[in-house]
Amino acid sequence: MKKYNLTDWLPTTRKEVEMRGWDTLDVILFSGDAYVDHPSFGAAVIGRILESQGLKVAIVPQPNWRDDLRDFKKLGKPRLFFGVSAGCMDSMVNKYTANKRLRSEDAYTPDGRHDMRPDYPTIVYSQILKRLYPDVPVVIGGIEASLRRLTHYDYWQDKVSQSILVDSGADLLIYGMGEKPLTDLCKRMEESLVIPHDVLQTAYLCKKDSFVPDERDLWLNSHEECIKNKKKQAENFRYIEEESNKYEAQRIVQETGKVIVVVNPPFPPMTQGELDMSFDLPYTRLPHPKYKDKRIPAYEMIKFSVNLHRGCFGGCAFCTISAHQGKFIVSRSKESIVKEVKTIIEMPDFKGYLSDLGGPSANMYAMHGRDEKMCRRCKRPSCIHPKVCPNLNTDHTALLDIYRTVDALPGIKKSFIGSGVRYDLLLHESKDPSANRSAQEYTKELILNHVSGRLKVAPEHTSDKVLYMMRKPPFEQFERFKKIFDRLNKEHNMRQQIIPYFISSHPGCTAEDMAELAVITKRLDFHLEQVQDFTPTPMTVATESWYTGFHPYTLEPVFSAKSQREKLAQRMFFFWYKPEERKAIINELRRMGRNDLIDKLYQKR
């Protein structure tokens, strides 16, 4: 194991800056997360990308915003700009449950403490920096800023919020994965030290009287119209999602008060070489030494895992991955993956077990459209819903090769798949016999060699009506996959479990749908553990349906459970097997006139 010096991390203090012999800094990053120098942590990736351009970069992780603001002053002014991110997760999702209660721990903070970041750090940090250094540009990014770039519904404040650019006072917003826009931004700023407004994948504010429209601009309903009319807000979302998932998107424009929010089109997907470069930067893969003897839960979880690709073409209605990473899959090269695994093998506490060889979805590695021209014209938010696109190459051969190559490395005893598996891809019958064979081979390889006792899959519901709203496959596909799983376990004398994830109170879901879910999961002999209430998060089709009451694509009315009573009436059906829930469940079933389900749940044997 390589011995590291303090200067192997990006500097976090004035002393660490001086240890590098620097007098000034080009960029100072402020992050709501602890600083872990690892490719799974956004601030580290951005810092290393900027460093690779020859820039002098420092990170201020989790600055104290409640004292005399010394953390915001200690490094002075950067030459180019301040970069601000709330962290790897939306700060409100990270901090609060669907019931708006404090989570048990903050996974991105030392020892899981709750008091190390404010609500909405992007706004709080940016406002402080603009107050202290009004002449220094502030560039915001990360998932919190990315998903709040336009008018959006904020569940925690229960209101329609304007673009985070307005509330934060930031000069520029980078949405999505930031490597390419940041690289371009820095090159341009080197020439003029002024924030350019034509960098792809960025958003900015413009005064109405100085805005120069283009005939190709896509004008959304204004922020004020969205506040007055929920249907206008629902209507907006369809265009936002479609433009986020196109190769060649339009510029999006929205009036907000006295300004116009301008969202430039995204960059084309990264190339494999560009993604490799991002992962191959000189990370120490360790938390900064300032956290010695402290546990950072998110780091412990990914310490011995490897991310194989970016992007997800599932397009699930409640998920923000494609909104942030895009639907087009960009996969790392085999060489880059193997290099990272070899680095992990050298870690002193590695015992030979990789916790995950995965990605946003475990089995989308190297998948893409057979005819790229068709993909360039497509604006579907999902490549697999309502049916798998006939142009999608669902071949699992390249992924099988990765698994087998990694497992053959000296020092690897076992590699597990901890990311969620899309069983609809495994069951899909394409016109390519070799792709179908590879899917069958992958299924067997996965179940026999890569399950750590329990395989996580996410059917999410049992009602096909609700599943269609979720953009998930019919429940019959989960039952088919479970039969394969059970058969292979029996044939090979294994006792592995399948752990399904389910959601209650999703738009379109009624208490009766949940009652039927209880009966079906009982028939399958599940006592559910991995369950959650739907949490509305910015920039998902489910959130817009939940808030507005209209589906953004059809503008048809959608029912959602919103009150505490309605939510509890749905959630309790997950736990039909608990004695303390029995009386309330029976009363609810009687209320809805479903005595037949009482018999199915509680019949005497």
Side-chain angles (χ1 to χ4, degrees), residues 11 30 134 238 281 344 361 445 454 466 481 486 537 550 554:
F30 285 81
R238 174 177 183 169
L281 293 166
I344 292 172
S361 284
E445 171 76 18
R454 314 172 100 199
V466 178
F481 179 74
D486 292 343
T537 53
F550 300 101
T554 64

Side-chain angles (χ1 to χ4, degrees), residues 445-461:
E445 171 76 18
L446 169 74
I447 294 168
L448 297 186
N449 298 321
H450 300 280
V451 176
S452 178
R454 314 172 100 199
L455 178 66
K456 294 188 294 189
V457 292
E460 308 294 10
H461 214 284

Side-chain angles (χ1 to χ4, degrees), residues 263-274:
V263 180
N264 292 323
F267 272 96
M270 294 175 85
T271 64
Q272 184 173 84
E274 287 169 336

Side-chain angles (χ1 to χ4, degrees), residues 41-59:
F41 290 76
V45 176
I46 295 306
R48 292 296 185 184
I49 284 284
L50 295 173
E51 179 189 50
S52 72
Q53 294 178 53
L55 297 174
K56 297 170 184 172
V57 190
I59 294 180

Side-chain angles (χ1 to χ4, degrees), residues 14 22 29 31 44 95 107 112 124 137 140 166 174 185 266 287 294 316 379-380 410 427 440 442 456 540:
R14 172 58 62 187
W22 297 346
L29 303 175
S31 171
K95 194 168 183 178
V124 175
I140 57 176
V166 180
I174 289 176
L185 173 66
K294 292 186 176 170
C316 295
K379 59 181 182 180
R380 276 176 61 174
L427 299 171
Q440 292 169 5
Y442 175 88
K456 294 188 294 189
T540 68

Side-chain angles (χ1 to χ4, degrees), residues 309-316 327-329 331 359-370 380 382-397 399-400 403 417 419-444 446 457-459 471-474 476-478 480-481 484:
H309 73 268
R310 274 196 195 157
C312 179
F313 50 68
C316 295
K327 74 174 181 181
F328 297 105
I329 304 299
S331 301
S361 284
N363 57 318
M364 290 184 182
Y365 179 81
M367 291 187 183
H368 50 80
R370 290 185 172 88
R380 276 176 61 174
S382 171
C383 303
I384 51 182
H385 177 86
K387 290 185 177 176
V388 177
C389 175
N391 188 45
L392 180 65
N393 180 358
T394 56
D395 196 332
H396 285 72
T397 303
L399 185 52
L400 278 165
Y403 288 2
I417 308 307
S419 304
V421 175
R422 292 296 305 224
Y423 50 79
D424 43 351
L425 285 173
L426 300 179
L427 299 171
H428 175 61
E429 291 283 331
S430 75
K431 292 180 180 177
D432 181 353
S434 63
N436 296 340
R437 282 194 300 273
S438 76
Q440 292 169 5
E441 191 180 349
Y442 175 88
T443 304
K444 189 172 182 180
L446 169 74
V457 292
R471 295 181 181 156
K472 296 288 284 188
E476 166 270 331
Q477 290 198 27
F478 170 74
R480 279 171 56 199
F481 179 74
I484 295 168

Side-chain angles (χ1 to χ4, degrees), residues 57 121 173 190 195 229 237 282 317 404 477 522 538:
V57 190
L173 182 155
E190 285 287 2
I195 290 272
N229 187 334
F237 181 77
R404 288 164 181 168
Q477 290 198 27
K522 181 191 176 184

